[in-house]
Amino acid sequence: TECTLTWRFYDSDGLKTEEVSAVAHSKPAAKALAHEQMLIQQGHIPRFTEEQAKQRQEIQLALEEQRIQDACQRAITLMEGADINMWSSFLPSVMRAVLGEGDR
């Protein structure tokens, strides 16, 4: 399923129109992907490489499985190779898990 997203907005040059298209297995997934692409294109969220996205998913999985130390090590590795603007997509959840680990 394909989704085409169009944004119209004003900037210092006047009215601008930006358009992105995305294809996914369902309409909601295509819509979500199109919105993500637009936000990346406009500079509102960082672009992850495939490897960085995989590392981010591995951090989330480690957190879900309560492997906090593993998540920390994976986060450190990702931080060493990722732009600082990407940190906000994974670091807060790792920090919450580390802080909560002392409550057990």
Side-chain angles (χ1 to χ4, degrees), residues 58 61-72 74:
E58 290 171 351
L61 180 61
L63 291 172
E64 289 169 13
E65 295 176 351
Q66 299 297 309
R67 294 181 287 117
I68 308 305
Q69 294 301 319
D70 184 36
C72 285
R74 290 176 183 278

Side-chain angles (χ1 to χ4, degrees), residues 3 7 18 29 40 50 56 58 60 78 83 85 94-95 97:
C3 176
W7 276 11
E18 298 284 339
I40 290 169
E50 283 186 40
R56 191 170 138 218
E58 290 171 351
Q60 294 302 68
L78 183 53
D83 182 89
N85 295 319
V94 172
M95 294 302 295

Side-chain angles (χ1 to χ4, degrees), residues 39 98 100:
L39 290 170
V98 168

Side-chain angles (χ1 to χ4, degrees), residues 13-66:
D13 298 327
L15 180 65
K16 289 188 76 172
T17 300
E18 298 284 339
E19 189 171 284
V20 296
S21 293
V23 176
H25 65 280
S26 68
K27 185 172 182 166
K31 187 176 180 181
L33 187 56
H35 280 278
E36 179 181 36
Q37 288 176 2
M38 181 66 80
L39 290 170
I40 290 169
Q41 181 176 310
Q42 295 303 313
H44 297 295
I45 60 175
R47 180 181 311 274
F48 282 90
T49 65
E50 283 186 40
E51 180 60 29
Q52 290 168 331
K54 181 181 174 200
Q55 289 175 310
R56 191 170 138 218
Q57 290 171 341
E58 290 171 351
I59 291 169
Q60 294 302 68
L61 180 61
L63 291 172
E64 289 169 13
E65 295 176 351
Q66 299 297 309

